């Protein structure tokens, strides 16, 4: 049976700041707790900064938070949050994943900020759980951890696992904890201090920013294309499903997007392939299959035509750490 968690019981939080963590995500979560204490004029929450070892936990912006203590010397906390950022694969060391498994066995609630969800997944602590992670990582991590239900939401609370994306999402997640422990009124007062709209929207926005499309029929077609990257149904089939003619669909794509529906869908598939090559460890052939290419030669030709180098060269560049992207490279 999946462990349940009384959010109102969380009073102490540990922040495990991994190397190159996102400071904005960590501080947003921590500051929500500080502000709850300030607004309530009481010590509702306590927190501790932790590092994997005795080294200083430097963030991706070159700064560090202190005072911090090694994870091995951590005091007992109600919730341990893994604070991720760039180069998360290297941060997910065996020592860190082993320590997280020990905390799970002790009954500590575990969570993650930004790419920290990758570390929990690597430790096997998110299997058959719903989980949030920064939108740049969704496609790659879904392919790598198929027993984890990664969804597009700012934050997810599933039993005793609490995960969120980056930016202001950690603050929103902590506001949910504050509301559970102290009531909605205090949570709204904390939100107001940070010039956030009080309350949690009933329908959370997508974790990934999406460009607005001016025509609703076009928007439906694009959504269907995005949902069928692995098994492209063909433009005629897409037109039937959204109840327009192929000719009308072609006219909409040319008018608003400057491309044919076929070319646009191919572009979506190749963009997904590039993301998987850069951010996952899937073999190149499997990347092609995951993006609807049944022929390795077709995949290589189409990829080279779009990006100027073949898929294997893209993977080699990622392995060398030359790409400024989510799991391997630069972000706030």
């Amino acid at each position: 049976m999946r462990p349940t968690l009384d959010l109102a019981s969380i009073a102490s939080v540990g922040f495990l700041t991994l190397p190159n963590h996102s400071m904005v995500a960590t501080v947003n979560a921590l500051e929500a707790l500080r502000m709850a204490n300030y607004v309530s004029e009481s010590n509702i929450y306590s927190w501790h900064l932790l590092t994997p070892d005795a080294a200083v936990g430097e963030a991706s912006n070159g700064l560090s938070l202190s005072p911090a203590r090694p994870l091995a010397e951590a005091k007992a906390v109600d919730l341990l949050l893994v604070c991720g950022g760039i180069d998360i694969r290297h941060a997910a060391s065996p020592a860190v994943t082993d320590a997280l498994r020990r905390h799970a066995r002790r009954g500590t609630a575990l969570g993650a900020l930004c790419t920290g969800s990758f570390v929990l997944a690597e430790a096997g602590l998110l299997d058959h759980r719903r989980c949030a992670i920064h939108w740049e990582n969704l496609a790659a991590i879904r392919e790598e951890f198929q027993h984890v239900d990664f969804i597009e939401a700012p934050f997810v609370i599933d039993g005793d696992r609490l995960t969120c994306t980056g930016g202001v999402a950690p603050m929103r997640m902590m506001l949910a904890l504050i509301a559970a422990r102290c009531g909605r009124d205090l949570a709204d007062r904390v939100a107001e201090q940070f010039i956030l709209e009080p309350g949690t929207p009933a329908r959370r926005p997508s974790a990934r920013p999406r460009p607005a499309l001016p025509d609703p029929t076009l928007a439906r077609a694009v959504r269907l294309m995005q949902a069928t990257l692995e098994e492209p149904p063909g433009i005629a089939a897409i037109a039937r499903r959204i109840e327009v003619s192929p000719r009308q669909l072609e006219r909409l794509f040319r008018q608003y997007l400057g491309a044919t529906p076929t070319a646009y869908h191919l572009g979506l598939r190749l963009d997904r392939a590039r993301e998987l090559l850069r951010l996952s460890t899937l073999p190149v052939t499997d990347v092609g299959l995951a993006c609807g290419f049944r022929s390795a030669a077709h995949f290589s030709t189409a990829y080279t035509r779009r990006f100027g180098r073949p898929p294997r060269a893209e993977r080699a560049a990622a392995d060398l750490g030359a790409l400024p992207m989510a799991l391997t490279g630069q972000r706030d």
Side-chain angles (χ1 to χ4, degrees), residues 221-241:
V222 170
R223 285 196 297 270
L224 183 55
M225 287 179 175
Q226 291 170 331
T228 57
L229 298 182
E230 187 170 351
E231 296 286 346
I235 302 308
I238 290 175
R240 283 196 303 272
R241 289 178 64 174

Side-chain angles (χ1 to χ4, degrees), residues 69-230:
R69 66 182 66 186
L71 179 59
E73 300 174 13
K75 295 180 179 179
V77 292
D78 301 318
L79 171 64
L80 178 59
L81 292 173
V82 181
C83 305
I86 65 173
D87 215 11
I88 194 64
R89 292 184 186 278
H90 291 95
S93 67
V96 168
T97 54
D98 287 347
L100 292 173
R101 292 186 194 105
R102 287 195 296 272
H103 278 274
R105 288 195 293 270
R106 295 172 192 160
T108 304
L110 297 174
L113 312 181
C114 196
T115 61
S117 299
F118 175 89
V119 184
L120 293 181
E122 183 75 8
L125 298 170
L126 289 177
D127 286 358
H128 310 295
R129 302 289 190 112
R130 297 168 66 247
C131 169
I133 194 169
H134 194 280
W135 61 264
E136 282 186 319
N137 305 97
L138 273 171
I141 204 167
R142 277 174 173 159
E143 293 290 342
E144 193 162 350
F145 300 103
Q146 297 189 10
H147 295 299
V148 182
D149 184 12
F150 292 98
I151 64 173
E152 294 194 52
F155 68 90
V156 175
I157 299 174
D158 188 344
D160 57 353
R161 299 290 184 268
L162 299 84
T163 55
C164 68
T165 61
V168 299
M171 184 173 288
R172 285 293 188 190
M173 186 171 77
M174 303 316 278
L175 287 172
L177 301 188
I178 294 168
R181 183 172 178 82
C182 309
R184 172 55 57 190
D185 179 65
L186 181 64
D188 287 348
R189 289 164 62 197
V190 170
E192 288 169 353
Q193 289 289 325
F194 293 110
I195 325 297
L196 286 177
E197 181 182 351
T200 302
R203 181 182 181 277
R204 297 172 187 158
S206 168
R208 179 170 189 157
R210 300 183 188 275
L213 293 171
D215 182 272
T217 300
L218 178 66
R220 289 170 60 205
V222 170
R223 285 196 297 270
L224 183 55
M225 287 179 175
Q226 291 170 331
T228 57
L229 298 182
E230 187 170 351

